[in-house]
Amino acid sequence: MAPGPPPPPPPPPRDPPPVDVAKGERTEKTSDIIGTLRPTKLLKLSKPNTYVTSLDFDEKGQLLIAACSDDSLQVYSAREGTHVKSILSHKYGCHLARFTHHPQNILYASTKSDHAIRYLSTHDSSYQRYFKGHTASVTDLAPCPRDDTFLSCSTDNTVRLWNLQSQNSQARLNLATPYLAAYDPSATVIAIASASTSSILLYDVRNFDKPPFATFDMRQYDPPGSGGSNIPEWTKLEFSNDGKSLLVTTNHTQGHLLLDAFTGDLKAQLPRPYQPTWGILRSAPSAIPPKTPVGQGDSSFSADGRYVLGGSGADRDIVVWDTQGRVSREGDKKVIRPMCNLPCEKGKGAVVLWNHRYNMLATADTEVIMWLPDEHVGMTPL
């Protein structure tokens, strides 16, 4: 069956206004503060040797939820920089906690028992619904930015489309290792990354059960030695908020891949300034069994889509790439080097997430760190 016509282009770029944490008002452009972000709150987990495996902000940017390796969910106030409550999930385990459009309601993947996705009210810790169907570990959850649908990926080689109002999946795709998924900001396009085939498939949301309207062949960007049984270690898939770029976060030494979201062409590789050593990065979904604790990727777009913030590869610091910065030729590669360093004396950036409503960054490893602009410091170039 021939692919249908591609969906219409996304609406004009939207730049959600940065908000002052104290006043809830627009204050400064991202470009004015990006190099001055500094850690302001370090929130320790209650148990030693516990890792944060995922982070998510609610759509108002006021709450942050962390899924942890001790089978707990930790809720924080982003406005106050304080811990709000703990929710235990010892029976089912937890990973990939995601806020929905309904205030204080979340989805998360079970890591034990039946591989179900659970819909939970954080207000009273009651389960609203179970979404059962996957027969192996869930590797990604992607809520739709416009409505109550969401995607789930699994090592059972399926991607399922769900609606919060029904316990049954609305549609299913059978694909090879479809471990990551993302909606574009207009919610008209779905991207699915297949690590074993080194490809990214684009689907029209309206024709989810039809063949993809575009396929990006990523084999040319695989690191040396990634052929055969060595599956690329992709850890996250994310559209920029203007819909023009697609970021593939990787564990590779050559760094992350910044793609043109319409053509799949490589805009540039975003290398870390330091080569990561064992234990710095989290296991990719393709690593079975995991070599290190699982995560959800160590990079994130800023709200305006211009910057990428991510782990440096060293123990602590975060670095910033300017996607509109100078692209250099290094052999046959197009590369954007980090523009500055965001120093941090404590805590690794194993999980990194930008707050798209506030000028705020959250990072986590064995603790959660919140970052805010500091008007008393300048940019620290690399």
Side-chain angles (χ1 to χ4, degrees), residues 5-11 184 186 188-189 204 206 262:
D184 84 320
S186 69
T188 60
V189 174
D204 182 346
R206 299 164 301 182
F262 297 98

Side-chain angles (χ1 to χ4, degrees), residues 138-190:
V138 173
T139 57
D140 203 6
L141 289 177
C144 177
R146 292 290 177 87
D147 58 33
D148 284 343
T149 59
F150 68 94
L151 294 169
S152 61
C153 302
S154 171
T155 54
D156 65 8
N157 293 322
T158 67
V159 178
R160 291 177 180 261
L161 177 68
W162 309 83
N163 190 297
L164 290 177
Q165 308 307 317
S166 172
Q167 65 181 359
N168 300 314
S169 61
Q170 309 298 296
R172 185 183 73 183
L173 293 176
N174 298 309
L175 300 169
T177 60
Y179 293 160
L180 301 171
Y183 282 91
D184 84 320
S186 69
T188 60
V189 174
I190 294 168

Side-chain angles (χ1 to χ4, degrees), residues 120-137:
L120 175 77
S121 168
T122 62
H123 174 68
D124 57 7
S125 301
S126 63
Y127 289 105
Q128 309 298 302
R129 189 163 284 113
Y130 300 153
F131 302 97
K132 297 183 178 181
H134 286 300
T135 58
S137 298

Side-chain angles (χ1 to χ4, degrees), residues 29 70 86 95 115 128 151 161 185 196 209 257 308 315 379:
K29 293 181 179 179
D70 65 348
S86 297
H95 183 36
H115 308 294
Q128 309 298 302
L151 294 169
L161 177 68
S196 67
D209 57 343
L257 303 174
V308 174
D315 279 345
M379 185 179 296

Side-chain angles (χ1 to χ4, degrees), residues 366-377:
T366 56
E367 59 282 303
V368 174
I369 299 176
M370 297 185 186
W371 302 61
L372 290 173
D374 185 343
E375 62 183 6
H376 301 295
V377 303

Side-chain angles (χ1 to χ4, degrees), residues 105-116:
N105 285 8
I106 65 163
L107 293 164
Y108 71 89
S110 307
T111 57
K112 302 177 180 178
S113 182
D114 55 3
H115 308 294

